[in-house]
Amino acid sequence: MTSVTFRSHDGSTVQVNGELGVSLMQTALSNGIDGIVGECGGSAMCATCHVYVDEAFVNLLPPMNDVENEMLECTVSTRRASSRLSCQIRLSRELEGLVVELPETQA
Amino acid sequence: MQLVEDHIRTLIAADIPIWDVDPYATEVLQTPEPYYTELREKGAFVYIPRYALLACGRYDETREVFSDWERFVSSRGVGLADFHVAKPWRAPSIVLEVDPPYHTRTRTVISRALSPRAVNDLKDAFAAKADALITELLDLGEFDAVDDLAEAFPVSVFPAAVGMREISKRMLVDYGAMAFNALGPENERRSKWLEKASEIVPWIMEQCKRESLSPGGFGATIYAAADADELTEEEAGMLVRSLLSAGIDTTVTGIGNTIWCLGRNPEQFEKLKRDPKLARPAFEEALRYTSPVHSFCRTASVDTTVGGVPISRDTKILCVLGAANLDERKWLNADRFDIERRPTGHLAFGVGIHGCVGQIVARAEAEAILTAIAQKVYSIDIIGEPVWRPNHAIHALDSMRVRFNRR
Ligand code: HEM
């Protein structure tokens, strides 16, 4: 298990325990986190699982591939340096305590 | 090494159930639900001797095989033929039938062309076309839901969005049907469809040339990637053609199947009329319920196990998406069509790196037409028995007489 904190746009936080190897997007969906839509089911195609990753964790994430980079150009909320698609992040031990912020809107 | 249907017959573990079924028999393709159920009941994997195939239809295992591109590759073909040992009928798709790292390159370009933003720009045009078509169909009263609606609508909006100038409905729909039938066994249906290639392929090639396409469309975005040296000119042409082979027959089927679901479940149509915002979830549920792409293959690249079942390298695996989308292990009351279900995780668009790159467009088309129907149609009567059109990868209607009653 990896503990993950979702901080919503209004500042409220929810902490959940996610299974190792499962994507952050799926972890959010199975814990009923509002603010993650994940319409495409994890194919980096819809840009509705956009998150801002807390600075402390940005460099622990696997590098972004071109497809994800392309999609992040299409998010509805502004892209920042810390923007990622949560469907492309798999929970691992290194990510224990991960904190992400949810954008104002996904669609 | 023994070849069956152009792939290698591998060693199959002794405890895998053997099932003498023909997934490509006309009756099975037309009414697949009993086959789906039996496939799931027999086990996580069954062995189908006549095609030397392993087949899976339970949700978890199907998802695992379909999404793990390292152990279960697409580059050896998503049909029965294994491109390591057999020559493909045409050059394989450079996005659907390739693996990373090459896949990432083509997928990046095609994702850009079909991005949420690009599709957003088309929404008003889709809505206007949808409105006009439904008004026309209400004037007709009775019509064929396949020919006059499910085929007519995507053909009126999608090729134009690609940038095509000349549009032939029959050629466009049949191009997809041909490519999908080619994925099956070497039977009469397959050869009958491949005969059409000599007429359809040259026409498609011509229409997908750079100079045939208008600026501003999906096709132009793909050719712009060739200008930026991300792709060769030839690759750009192939990607534009893959939009047409993968993007028409599929949406036609998705929309036709949704009308079939709504016509048979009037209480669900009532919900949609009360709240037209349910158009998108209704489409999602119809996709889960009918799986327009019923099955695609993968090939094992290593000796491995899935859910404890050993699978030898080189084995062709038929992933029966239609069965997984109706698996009771995953879906509560799986055999009920409920437009409020929100079936996130269904496999109708695939999953993982090959997950449908056209799903944003497909959803936008469906949303436009279903919203117009919800706003203008009082009730849908299906007249007589709908007829299904057998295809080796697509579960589509052939004809369905319908009456739309005015609101
Ligand atoms: C309801 C309509 C549609 C359905 C049910 C559907 C289904 C699918 C499925 C199941 C896959 C995964 C294939 C695999 O993993 O082997 C896929 C991939 C693909 N689809 Fe769709 N599709 C639809 C609409 C579209 C549209 C409108 C387009 C084009 C604009 C399109 C283009 C593609 C392409 C190019 C791929 C290959 C992606 C890759 O391999 O990375 N599809 N589709």
Side-chain angles (χ1 to χ4, degrees):
Chain A
M1 289 297 208
T2 306
S3 117
V4 181
T5 303
F6 294 93
R7 191 175 339 112
S8 70
H9 186 67
D10 65 16
S12 61
T13 61
V14 182
Q15 194 181 2
V16 306
N17 283 319
E19 243 176 272
L20 287 175
V22 170
S23 80
L24 182 59
M25 180 273 285
Q26 263 158 0
T27 306
L29 288 188
S30 45
N31 285 285
I33 303 290
D34 286 338
I36 296 282
V37 180
E39 189 170 43
C40 83
S43 302
M45 190 56 227
C46 67
T48 63
C49 68
H50 178 200
V51 295
Y52 303 118
V53 178
D54 187 274
E55 259 175 45
F57 294 89
V58 169
N59 293 327
L60 299 179
L61 297 178
M64 183 182 307
N65 68 24
D66 294 344
V67 176
E68 181 181 353
N69 188 29
E70 197 75 39
M71 271 302 119
L72 283 167
E73 290 300 319
C74 302
T75 52
V76 176
S77 298
T78 323
R79 179 176 186 172
R80 300 183 203 152
S82 63
S83 286
R84 292 297 300 256
L85 294 182
S86 58
C87 69
Q88 303 299 302
I89 299 174
R90 281 192 190 287
L91 296 185
S92 60
R93 280 194 212 341
E94 298 75 66
L95 294 179
E96 173 57 35
L98 178 65
V99 179
V100 297
E101 189 188 324
L102 301 169
E104 188 170 359
T105 174
Q106 296 281 5
Chain B
M1 180 172 82
Q2 195 196 349
L3 295 190
V4 179
E5 293 292 343
D6 279 344
H7 61 258
I8 301 167
R9 184 194 288 281
T10 54
L11 279 179
I12 298 298
D15 48 358
I16 294 183
I18 295 176
W19 189 18
D20 184 22
V21 67
D22 183 357
Y24 298 103
T26 303
E27 318 77 72
V28 174
L29 293 173
Q30 288 180 315
T31 312
E33 291 81 6
Y35 150 74
Y36 292 162
T37 308
E38 201 168 338
L39 174 64
R40 287 190 308 265
E41 276 167 8
K42 283 196 183 295
F45 290 87
V46 306
Y47 183 65
I48 302 177
R50 77 176 71 202
Y51 298 124
L53 266 185
L54 219 49
C56 56
R58 291 185 186 168
Y59 181 85
D60 286 346
E61 291 82 1
T62 307
R63 186 182 170 104
E64 181 170 339
V65 173
F66 213 57
S67 58
D68 189 334
W69 58 268
E70 284 167 292
R71 287 187 296 153
F72 303 106
V73 297
S74 291
S75 54
R76 293 169 73 170
V78 300
L80 292 191
D82 176 352
F83 299 164
H84 272 193
V85 296
K87 189 177 168 305
W89 72 282
R90 58 162 191 183
S93 157
I94 58 169
V95 57
L96 178 67
E97 294 185 312
V98 293
D99 304 326
Y102 180 74
H103 173 262
T104 312
R105 187 148 73 79
T106 50
R107 171 101 186 181
T108 303
V109 173
I110 208 166
S111 306
R112 178 187 309 151
L114 304 172
S115 75
R117 194 170 294 165
V119 174
N120 228 2
D121 291 344
L122 297 168
K123 280 204 171 143
D124 292 345
F126 284 11
K129 280 272 189 209
D131 225 64
L133 178 61
I134 299 305
T135 305
E136 219 175 278
L137 294 176
L138 280 165
D139 289 341
L140 273 180
E142 193 188 310
F143 58 91
D144 180 7
V146 177
D147 191 15
D148 301 324
L149 170 55
E151 293 186 349
F153 182 64
V155 169
S156 76
V157 295
F158 183 73
V162 173
M164 290 178 79
R165 296 200 171 96
E166 194 183 315
I167 289 161
S168 155
K169 181 162 117 192
R170 205 61 271 144
M171 294 276 203
L172 288 164
V173 175
D174 284 357
Y175 183 50
M178 176 182 78
F180 288 118
N181 271 320
L183 299 176
E186 291 175 26
N187 58 17
E188 219 175 294
R189 180 175 303 111
R190 186 171 186 273
S191 27
K192 194 191 97 202
W193 276 90
L194 286 187
E195 275 168 25
K196 296 182 196 254
S198 58
E199 185 196 359
I200 301 177
V201 174
W203 184 83
I204 295 278
M205 297 284 272
E206 191 57 38
Q207 305 312 315
C208 292
K209 283 193 183 148
R210 183 194 281 264
E211 58 277 15
S212 309
L213 298 169
S214 56
F218 302 146
T221 312
I222 292 175
Y223 276 107
D227 295 333
D229 286 335
E230 284 180 84
L231 299 172
T232 65
E233 188 77 10
E234 195 192 347
E235 288 172 320
M238 291 176 88
L239 283 187
V240 175
R241 291 198 291 282
S242 64
L243 293 186
L244 299 181
S245 55
I248 304 222
D249 198 28
T250 46
T251 24
V252 163
T253 304
I255 291 171
N257 292 5
T258 309
I259 306 298
W260 178 76
C261 290
L262 292 170
R264 288 173 11 126
N265 295 278
E267 77 297 343
Q268 299 296 321
F269 184 55
E270 284 304 317
K271 283 197 218 165
L272 177 62
K273 275 163 53 193
R274 273 200 302 276
D275 181 6
K277 287 236 157 10
L278 287 170
R280 274 172 100 90
F283 182 58
E284 251 10 78
E285 172 68 346
L287 293 180
R288 180 196 70 85
Y289 194 71
T290 66
S291 300
V293 172
H294 59 73
S295 29
F296 271 173
C297 294
R298 294 289 192 257
T299 312
S301 62
V302 288
D303 290 329
T304 185
T305 60
V306 173
V309 177
I311 297 175
S312 341
R313 189 180 132 178
D314 300 329
T315 305
K316 263 289 169 190
I317 307 168
L318 184 70
C319 298
V320 185
L321 308 177
N325 280 337
L326 293 172
D327 186 358
E328 289 284 347
R329 293 166 192 79
K330 166 75 180 172
W331 314 100
L332 197 65
N333 301 321
D335 61 353
R336 267 197 31 218
F337 173 72
D338 176 2
I339 69 170
E340 287 172 301
R341 181 190 296 268
R342 318 264 165 172
T344 316
H346 71 66
L347 300 180
F349 282 125
V351 55
I353 66 160
H354 290 283
C356 183
V357 75
Q359 54 187 283
I360 311 286
V361 193
R363 289 199 180 94
E365 289 180 38
E367 181 175 17
I369 197 77
L370 295 175
T371 305
I373 292 173
Q375 287 168 343
K376 290 181 170 330
V377 177
Y378 175 73
S379 62
I380 303 173
D381 301 332
I382 297 179
I383 300 160
E385 275 299 306
V387 179
W388 294 87
R389 179 184 298 172
N391 181 294
H392 294 152
I394 297 276
H395 181 48
L397 288 162
D398 189 51
S399 65
M400 180 170 74
R401 295 300 295 175
V402 153
R403 189 191 337 272
F404 275 1
N405 301 302
R406 208 178 284 277
R407 240 180 131 144

